[in-house]
Amino acid sequence: MPRGSKSVNRPPTPEPEDQQRELSLEEDIRLKLIQSGTEQRLKDLLVQRLLEAGWTDNVRERMRDAYTARKQSGQVPQPEDLVKEVRSFGRSTVPDIVKAELLAELRDFIA
């Protein structure tokens, strides 16, 4: 069978240019963030700032309320359902100052 042709038993062999593709800008930045250790530092900063702002307590309380409401209505609370219910609340309540600080850190890294 010629190289790259389809086979019933296995996927086609990738061409060399597929293996050598260039990274997108986003992939390149992410790779550099990881390699430099900056990604972990930013994650740690985010956790610290959210704790300081009381955000984690608010999300935990919202999660507890959602769990209790489902339990009282006779439903079996499933973790993935609770996360779906609370996710938008969590995202929308991240303090603007925290978002701005992380964005500034990312801009400094990229510059």
Side-chain angles (χ1 to χ4, degrees), residues 2 11 13 20-21 25 37-39 45 56 58 60 80 86-87 90 95 101 104-105 110:
T13 305
Q20 298 293 326
R21 76 172 183 85
L25 180 60
T38 302
E39 181 189 46
L45 178 63
T56 51
N58 292 338
R60 189 175 295 119
E80 55 275 356
V86 177
R87 179 181 289 137
E101 182 177 3
E105 291 282 338
I110 292 171

Side-chain angles (χ1 to χ4, degrees), residues 13 15 17 19 29 35 42 55 59 73 84 92-93 102 111:
T13 305
E15 296 298 324
E17 62 270 5
Q19 296 171 354
I29 291 170
Q35 289 174 340
L42 291 176
W55 179 89
V59 171
S73 70
K84 283 181 189 175
S92 67
T93 58
L102 283 168

Side-chain angles (χ1 to χ4, degrees), residues 27-104:
E27 291 170 327
D28 187 43
I29 291 170
R30 183 164 194 81
L31 182 63
K32 289 177 182 175
L33 280 167
I34 292 167
Q35 289 174 340
S36 68
T38 302
E39 181 189 46
Q40 188 60 49
R41 185 180 63 76
L42 291 176
K43 284 180 181 180
D44 293 343
L45 178 63
L46 176 61
V47 169
Q48 179 185 353
R49 294 297 187 256
L50 291 175
L51 283 167
E52 290 170 355
W55 179 89
T56 51
D57 293 332
N58 292 338
V59 171
R60 189 175 295 119
E61 183 179 337
R62 179 63 71 103
M63 185 68 77
R64 197 173 292 125
D65 292 346
Y67 177 87
T68 302
R70 285 181 183 246
K71 193 124 174 147
Q72 288 176 346
S73 70
Q75 297 177 3
V76 177
Q78 297 298 316
E80 55 275 356
D81 295 333
L82 295 172
V83 169
K84 283 181 189 175
E85 188 174 329
V86 177
R87 179 181 289 137
S88 63
F89 169 79
R91 288 182 176 166
S92 67
T93 58
V94 172
D96 289 339
I97 189 122
V98 174
K99 293 177 194 177
E101 182 177 3
L102 283 168
L103 186 57

